[in-house]
Structure formats: C-alpha cells, structure tokens
Amino acid sequence: MIKFPESFLWGGATAANQLEGAFDRDGKGLSVADVMPGGKDRFKILTSEEFNWELADARIYPNHRGIEHYDHFKEDIALFGEMGFKCYRFSIAWSRIFPQGDELEPNEAGLKFYDQVIDECLKHGIEPVVTISHYEMPLNLAKKYGGWKNRELINFYERYAETVLSRYHNKVKYWMTFNEINSASHVPALSQGLVKSNGAKDYTNVAQAWHNQFVASAKAVQFAHALNPELQVGCMIIYGTTYSMDSNPINEMATIIENQEFNYYCADVQVRGKYPAYTKRFLSSKGVNFSDLEIAEGDLALLETNTVDYIGFSYYMSAVIDVTQETPETVGGNLMGGVRNPFLKQSDWGWQIDPEGLRIAMNNLYNRYNVPLFIVENGLGAHDEVDENGYVEDDYRISYLRDHIEAIGRALEDGVDVMGYTPWGCIDLVSASTGEMSKRYGFIYVDLDDEGNGTLNRSKKKSFDWYKQVIATNGEDLG
Ligand code: BG6
C-alpha cells in the first residue's frame, strides 16, 4: 500500500479565464484569451497564425461566460470542500486587477473578488494555491507594447505581482509565477502575447520574451521572500515525458535535445538560476543569436539569487521521438503530439495515456533539480454521457486518475519529494486548446454546451465520491 505524507496537498486546479466568465464585469479589461473564439480555427489562433484584436459579432467566445464561476464561486468551493480538498489551485485574472496592464493603481473591485474567493477557501479548510499569470495577460499589453518581448512588461508584471502578493500573503502561502512558461514555443499568443503581427514568428522575440519573463518571475520571488520568508513560490512548466522510438543513437540524441529544449530550458533558468550550457546551440538552431538578446546589467545576478522554491508542473501524456522515419504515424497532444507509441492507449482527443510516464517525469525532474515537486495539473479530457439527474458514470476518468496516483506513489517510493496533486479542471470548464465545454475533466458536471446553452447546474459525477474517498484515506483507498 502506498503511503502519502500527512501534509500531502490533495486538491484540484482551474484557471480564471476558463471558468470565471464575467469577462467585462466590475472593471475587468479584455485579456488575450477574451478575443480567442471557439471553433475549428482556434488552434491557429493559439499558435499565432491568425489573431483578431477586435471581438467579432459572428463568433462565440466561450471564455466570456466560462461556467460563470464569478457568480457561483461559493457553491463551487463548497463542493470542493465536500470532496475534502486540502488545497485549490486557481489563477488571478491579471486583467481584473490591472484592466489595461499599464495603470498605476489596481482595480479594487477585482481585488475584492479574490478576497472573497480566498476567504471562501479558508472557510472550508482549503489552502489556496495561486497562479499569478495563467494564459490571460491584458490584451492592451500585447497590442500596445508587443507582448513579453518588450522589457517594459517586467515593470507592469512587477506592479501586478507586488499588488497581489501584498494583498494576500497573510492568507496564501503557495504561489506560481507563470503557468506553463515553456509552452511559449508552441502557443506564444497565450503565453507571451506574441502573435504573427507583433513578431511571434521570429524566435528571437520568443527567446527575448522568455528572458523578460524569467526576470519578472525572479523579481516576484525576491519580493515574496522579502515580504514573508514562509511564502513558497514555484515555477510552473508543462512536462511531457519523451521517449526515443528505438535504440538508434540518432533518435536518442534527438530525444535528449527535445527534452532540453521543451521540458527543461525554462526550469533550468528558474530553478538553477543560470542559462544552461545548451542555450546557444538551442537558440541558434532557431536562428537566434544569444548575444543579440537584451540582457540588462544585473539580470543574470538577479536570476541566480532568486530561484524558485518548488517546481509546479502539468503532466497529461508522453511523446515519442523518431527522426529517422519519413512518415511515422502521429498523434495529437497537449502542445507536443508526435509519433504514436504502440504501447499506449489514447484519450478521445488523441493524447497518449501514460501513468508510468508520470513516475518517469517525477524521477527526471527531482533528480535533475532536487527541489520539491507539485503536480498541479493532470487529468483526462473526455466526452461525458450525462443522465437526467445530472449524473455521469465516469469510470474511465477514475481509472485514469487512479493509475496516475499509483504512479505518484511509486515515485514517492523512489524517493521523490512531492508536495501535492491537483487534477486539472476539478469542475468542468472551457478547454484551453479547443474552446469546447464538451472536453470535460471535472468531478463536477456543469450543464453547458459548446454553443453556450445550458442551465449551468452543477452535479456530482461518480468520480466525485471516488476522489472524496481517496482524499479521506490520504491515498490509501483508490477504489
Ligand atoms: C494545460 C493548461 O496545458 O492544459 C490548461 O495549463 C489547459 O489551461 C489544460 O486547460 C488542458 O488542456 P485542454 O486543451 O484540454 O483544455
């Protein structure tokens, strides 16, 4: 039987732009996520092929309504409390606090909303875990300043991070600076406010934007620790365990390179405090000269002295590298897809399901960095069949989560230090990649379809009681 530490933080995770709705209420400004419509071309928008700065009447914007958590947060958090959550990971919408991003004073109404969310968590004995920026920077910062490639954004983020850290530090101990910071190579619009018209296609801008984000993150770490040394500030990366297709050394080396460039590059800087040895090779393979980046005096020292306290990461699937075949069979995925793995099954959206890959990820990360890990996203996006009582018999989801929790247990036995586990979309919410409601992850069903129709009623799926039992027994009873 697996023994989880007594302090293990069982919970769930969400992001403001995918569940709050109320996109223009109480002074909130537009964010980059707010101008991304649902529909088939959404992926082209995420990857910065296309981007409309203006809202179009003919389009549906699922994030505008989300699941109206803005008005239902008490009910939702009460349900998390009923499941026994020890923690709840959510993000603060930057555009609620600084609607245009460049104001000098914050929007008090936005701050008041999160006062209430945090107090509601505490009322139910739930530790809040806050992501400062999760895929929704103020649109104005992308439009007027060109996104994160512009060094001025460091100042705007600094003001924002200092505002929320100062306001909530007595109530919130766990923080993360940027969601999936390494995703920028795939979704620069969401991650860095970089779209085709402001330079997303030039990798120099992506690399510069990363540098600016590293500095901004280090400043937030510095400020948080000065404010209260008890605060724990993490980075947050997307991790995809990556295998070589075979023992061909060419594929093995390509796998090492893929790991460095996708999984490790950002964490190397944020955890170790230094640009890694492969930086020049990586960037020059993308046509970027590292010495062309604007790195101000003091930046490198700041990065070195303000490393993060833990690594938050998302894990959904693994990937396979094969550079020797001309037309290998490929699959979809959370940003990285790749070659089909004959040993694995796939989700309804073609993501390869690989619990052992999570154990591998944890061993890789812990042995490389030696800081605690926090699995802040994991889960199965699936089509749910709901009955007339709002009940979903989601044995497939239970099975996915059980297998992944067992893998965490094995990683604990491997000696990995893990702080907690917050499955993604603990309540159904809008999918980031597709904009669909029908791609559901939750323990709680929300009656809303892809076109925005539905009662918004919340109901418990079978997995709700299952997860409640997992938490109640601290992972001993996995059903
Ligand atoms: C992560 C993101 O990449 O994956 C979330 O941090 C996202 O915002 C989650 O929702 C699941 O992806 P999707 O596309 O199924 O919503």
Side-chain angles (χ1 to χ4, degrees), residues 247-271:
S247 52
N248 187 334
I250 305 279
N251 280 333
E252 183 55 27
M253 190 60 220
T255 305
I256 290 174
I257 291 175
E258 174 66 15
N259 267 309
Q260 290 175 337
E261 298 182 354
F262 184 67
N263 285 322
Y264 297 133
Y265 180 68
C266 295
D268 279 350
V269 179
Q270 295 185 286
V271 185

Side-chain angles (χ1 to χ4, degrees), residues 2-8 10 469-476:
I2 311 157
K3 267 265 164 249
F4 283 82
E6 281 309 314
S7 58
F8 195 77
W10 299 99
Q469 181 68 2
V470 171
I471 298 175
T473 60
N474 199 26
E476 281 190 13

Side-chain angles (χ1 to χ4, degrees), residues 15 17-18 89 134-135 179-180 236 238 314 316 334-335 351 377 381 424 429-434 439 441:
N17 77 85
Q18 291 170 252
R89 173 187 176 225
H134 189 134
Y135 288 166
N179 181 64
E180 294 186 338
M236 195 310 200
I238 174 172
S314 63
Y316 291 89
N334 192 16
L335 307 189
W351 297 17
E377 284 187 36
W424 175 250
L429 39 62
V430 175
S431 157
S433 59
T434 67
K439 190 178 188 190
Y441 288 85

Side-chain angles (χ1 to χ4, degrees), residues 98-158:
F98 288 95
Q100 301 301 314
D102 55 1
E103 298 91 341
L104 294 178
E105 295 303 325
N107 171 31
E108 181 58 26
L111 290 166
K112 281 210 172 99
F113 172 64
Y114 296 105
D115 283 338
Q116 295 178 68
V117 169
I118 292 166
D119 286 345
E120 206 59 26
C121 288
L122 299 176
K123 187 171 120 192
H124 291 279
I126 299 172
E127 180 98 49
V129 176
V130 170
T131 317
I132 297 176
S133 175
H134 189 134
Y135 288 166
E136 62 72 64
M137 61 190 289
L139 185 66
N140 179 52
L141 296 185
K143 201 171 175 181
K144 182 165 163 197
Y145 298 89
W148 270 102
K149 71 175 193 284
N150 186 335
R151 206 180 155 88
E152 272 199 79
L153 262 79
I154 299 173
N155 302 328
F156 302 138
Y157 180 91
E158 200 181 353

Side-chain angles (χ1 to χ4, degrees), residues 11 14 19 67 69 71-88 90 116-127 426-427 443-444 458-460 464-465 467-468 471:
T14 65
L19 93 164
I67 57 161
H69 176 74
D71 297 310
H72 288 255
F73 70 92
K74 288 190 181 165
E75 176 187 351
D76 295 343
I77 295 170
L79 285 165
F80 302 157
E82 193 181 328
M83 265 187 284
F85 277 21
K86 309 273 183 217
C87 75
Y88 169 44
F90 61 93
Q116 295 178 68
V117 169
I118 292 166
D119 286 345
E120 206 59 26
C121 288
L122 299 176
K123 187 171 120 192
H124 291 279
I126 299 172
E127 180 98 49
C426 44
I427 182 167
F443 303 110
I444 300 162
R458 274 75 166 144
S459 57
K460 299 170 194 173
F464 184 100
D465 286 324
Y467 193 46
K468 184 176 175 180
I471 298 175

